[in-house]
Amino acid sequence: MTSSMLLHSTWQWGVGMFAILMPVVSIPVIVCLLIAGRRAKRQGRLIGLKSLRQTHGGYGGLLVDLFWRLDVAGLILLSACLSLILIPLTIAAGISDRWGHADVIVMLVIGVVIIPFFALWELKCARHPVMPFHLMKDRSM
């Protein structure tokens, strides 16, 4: 399917197809969840249960709790670190004269500099770390 798609179009249309198909394919799941929620409410199975908003004292408390549970800062640092290291490797792969360009060098340096900040965040600040420190010390990780 991919080969036939690339014969008649470009890879950008593949990304466009993904962006169109994912919401369309997820509609049945969303509808099923909504129907199940309405049935549970009608049957009285949700009596006594608090919503997330009620549990956290409003949307602000919910957002703060999600920030710490998802470790948003750790995810941003990790994705920035990996992106800034892997993108220049992809850009300069196989082309010997690209390794000396400023864009490749700067991205690699910044990506490597972010690594200790990520480790410090996960060790000192994160309540629910993306990568616990004992896994960071493991050489196989």
Side-chain angles (χ1 to χ4, degrees):
M1 185 172 165
T2 306
S3 300
S4 65
M5 187 68 198
L6 288 175
L7 286 175
H8 304 291
S9 184
T10 63
W11 65 269
Q12 286 104 349
W13 179 237
V15 174
M17 285 176 37
F18 181 78
I20 293 168
L21 289 174
M22 282 307 293
V24 170
V25 170
S26 63
I27 287 173
V29 174
I30 293 170
V31 169
C32 286
L33 289 172
L34 290 173
I35 291 171
R38 290 177 116 187
R39 284 183 184 169
K41 193 178 285 186
R42 278 193 210 138
Q43 293 174 359
R45 294 181 183 216
L46 300 180
I47 296 174
L49 293 177
K50 292 183 178 180
S51 69
L52 286 174
R53 184 175 51 89
Q54 292 169 337
T55 304
H56 296 289
Y59 289 114
L62 176 62
L63 290 176
V64 169
D65 187 51
L66 279 175
F67 175 84
W68 288 110
R69 286 189 187 274
L70 296 176
D71 190 18
V72 174
L75 287 173
I76 290 171
L77 286 170
L78 180 63
S79 61
C81 172
L82 290 175
S83 298
L84 289 170
I85 291 173
L86 295 176
I87 289 173
L89 294 178
T90 304
I91 291 172
I95 304 172
S96 60
D97 63 339
R98 287 290 297 168
W99 287 104
H101 284 109
D103 58 344
V104 173
I105 295 170
V106 168
M107 282 193 280
L108 281 172
V109 168
I110 293 174
V112 170
V113 167
I114 292 176
I115 293 173
F117 289 108
F118 172 69
L120 283 173
W121 173 263
E122 294 294 302
L123 182 63
K124 301 287 184 186
C125 302
R127 296 179 189 169
H128 304 277
V130 172
M131 185 181 298
F133 197 70
H134 71 275
L135 291 178
M136 277 194 249
K137 291 191 307 187
D138 187 5
R139 287 185 181 191
S140 64
M141 290 300 289

